[in-house]
Amino acid sequence: MANEDQKIAKIIESIALHHVAPAANVKITHGPEVRDDCAVIQLSDTTDLVIGSDFVRGTGFRLFKAGYLNHFDVGYYMVAANASDIAAMGAKPIGMTSIVRYSKSMTDEEFALLNEGITTACKDFKMPLLGGDTGGYDSDVISGTSIGLCQHGKALLRSNARTGDLVFTTGKYGVAAAADAAFAQSDIHRLLTSEEGAEILNAWKRVAPAMRQGAALSDLGLSECCIDSSDGLKDACYQIATASNVNIVLREESVPIHPITIKVAHNLGIDPMTLAVGDSVDFRLVFTVSPDKKIELIKVFTDNNWELYEIGEVIAQDVTVPSVQLQTVAGLTPMPGVAWDQSEKTALERVLQSTKS
């Protein structure tokens, strides 16, 4: 079966074959062919409209099935995932629509809780719910479309990384993967304190997209290239490298791994870096910055008390095969970990398999 990248390529091929110009007198500056977090549509000489859609498995999450998440949590998660896409483009949200299709097994109380999670997140992210669709279906479907605005021509694009740029991120890694591994796929959570368990589960319960950080990167001209790490740090960097046709090197000692992730990894008998940078939906921003903007960037983040980590650099442009590598004391090595894919195997199963191969 074709993987996700191959299927997306087929969609883009079909769109090109059946090209349709917009009915209104608007310019689509970035559509699906650029494979970014959102589409960008020019509204005026000063303003661009940013639109993205995200579906979440929600009630299909392993942690939900294991009883560690409820319907409120997955409703909140859906909005946060959509908000993170807007943040990654450097846009400010103006609203969103939602699709909630409920199976026969979902009770009225659970439906109400799901929608309370959606509306609470919309309030938290200043992202009004503008409408959508709801109704019954064979299985639960929880999806949304986010809408935002940014200054014309200042959307942050995966394709804008340049040789010599520094790579930054907005938080520690491996928290979501540690929660999934410790609670849904093993009994490692029994070795954690109640505070540690609650902290890593919160990575699923209350996703906190970097909304203000993304908008600041765009508004202040600090970056031109950004992505969120909803598919993990390794995949986020690979997406930037591929879109920008560059190589990226991350420094092993600079990648921020959450301390509880390290504890979980050690108890599983795997390398913490392998768990942290792979299939962990941590929803950080990963972005590149020209060295001459570094001091200003640090000041802005420090003044706002935002987390910031310099983790690597873009080392080459116009390369034959874009790559993401890890600089270790032993030299350059391929990035460890397994990126998100459509495999029926869990992330932990694939990590353990990769360490044996």
Side-chain angles (χ1 to χ4, degrees):
M1 179 181 291
N3 61 30
E4 186 180 20
D5 283 344
Q6 292 167 331
K7 289 178 179 177
I8 292 174
K10 287 294 184 182
I11 292 172
I12 294 171
E13 182 182 314
S14 182
I15 290 172
L17 184 63
H18 304 284
H19 176 71
V20 178
N25 187 25
V26 296
K27 181 181 180 182
I28 302 173
T29 59
H30 299 90
E33 70 282 351
V34 298
R35 301 191 185 199
D36 231 303
D37 285 287
C38 300
V40 182
I41 301 169
Q42 183 176 352
L43 292 184
S44 69
D45 291 341
T46 60
T47 306
D48 286 342
L49 183 69
V50 177
I51 303 176
S53 294
D54 217 335
F55 157 83
V56 300
R57 287 166 174 77
T59 55
F61 286 153
R62 285 183 291 273
L63 286 167
F64 182 91
K65 292 178 177 180
Y68 294 106
L69 305 179
N70 61 25
H71 285 80
F72 183 101
D73 299 329
V74 298
Y76 197 100
Y77 188 105
M78 184 274 287
V79 177
N82 277 276
S84 187
D85 283 343
I86 291 291
M89 301 297 291
K92 299 181 179 70
I94 59 174
M96 70 171 294
T97 61
S98 68
I99 295 175
V100 176
R101 290 284 177 173
Y102 48 88
S103 62
K104 292 180 181 179
S105 63
M106 188 185 295
T107 67
D108 290 344
E109 291 75 17
E110 290 168 341
F111 179 81
L113 197 59
L114 173 64
N115 282 281
E116 185 182 352
I118 291 173
T119 54
T120 299
C122 284
K123 180 180 179 181
D124 286 351
F125 307 138
K126 296 179 174 59
M127 199 168 178
L129 186 62
L130 306 176
D133 178 58
T134 189
Y137 190 56
D138 294 339
S139 58
D140 298 332
V141 177
I142 307 168
S143 179
T145 296
S146 50
I147 308 167
L149 297 174
C150 69
Q151 296 178 47
H152 173 57
K154 297 193 72 173
L156 308 177
L157 307 176
R158 302 176 186 184
S159 56
N160 282 345
R162 301 289 181 263
T163 300
D165 281 357
L166 306 175
V167 182
F168 287 85
T169 192
T170 59
K172 297 180 178 67
Y173 281 86
V175 193
D180 191 50
F183 284 89
Q185 302 183 57
S186 74
D187 292 328
I188 296 299
H189 63 275
R190 296 177 180 177
L191 303 177
L192 305 177
T193 66
S194 58
E195 292 79 10
E196 289 172 333
E199 183 175 351
I200 59 175
L201 281 175
N202 215 43
W204 293 85
K205 288 173 172 285
R206 299 295 180 270
V207 174
M211 307 293 291
R212 293 177 60 201
Q213 294 93 320
L217 292 176
S218 173
D219 287 347
L220 301 177
L222 298 172
S223 176
E224 296 180 356
C225 173
C226 185
I227 186 175
D228 79 349
S229 62
S230 55
D231 290 337
L233 178 61
K234 176 179 182 176
D235 187 72
C237 291
Y238 176 75
Q239 294 294 337
I240 289 176
T242 301
S244 298
N245 198 32
V246 297
N247 291 327
I248 292 177
V249 171
L250 302 186
R251 296 185 294 272
E252 183 178 38
E253 75 278 4
S254 301
V255 175
I257 304 176
H258 197 284
I260 305 176
T261 302
I262 296 174
K263 183 175 181 178
V264 170
H266 283 162
N267 279 285
L268 288 170
I270 59 177
D271 173 37
M273 182 74 73
T274 299
L275 184 63
V277 305
D279 188 0
S280 187
V281 285
D282 294 310
F283 289 101
R284 315 304 187 199
L285 295 185
V286 183
F287 55 96
T288 68
V289 174
S290 174
D292 62 351
K293 299 286 181 68
K294 177 178 176 177
I295 294 176
E296 183 183 0
L297 172 76
I298 293 173
K299 183 178 187 307
V300 169
F301 273 67
T302 301
D303 289 348
N304 285 282
N305 198 29
W306 295 334
E307 283 189 77
L308 180 68
Y309 302 90
E310 182 183 338
I311 59 174
E313 62 183 326
V314 179
I315 63 168
Q317 195 168 349
D318 298 324
V319 296
T320 304
V321 181
S323 68
V324 181
Q325 296 178 292
L326 190 67
Q327 179 68 59
T328 72
V329 292
L332 287 176
T333 66
M335 282 296 296
V338 291
W340 184 89
D341 68 8
Q342 300 284 359
S343 172
E344 293 183 1
K345 291 184 177 181
T346 66
L348 181 56
E349 287 172 334
R350 290 183 289 119
V351 165
L352 293 173
Q353 183 179 23
S354 71
T355 61
K356 295 175 182 178
S357 58

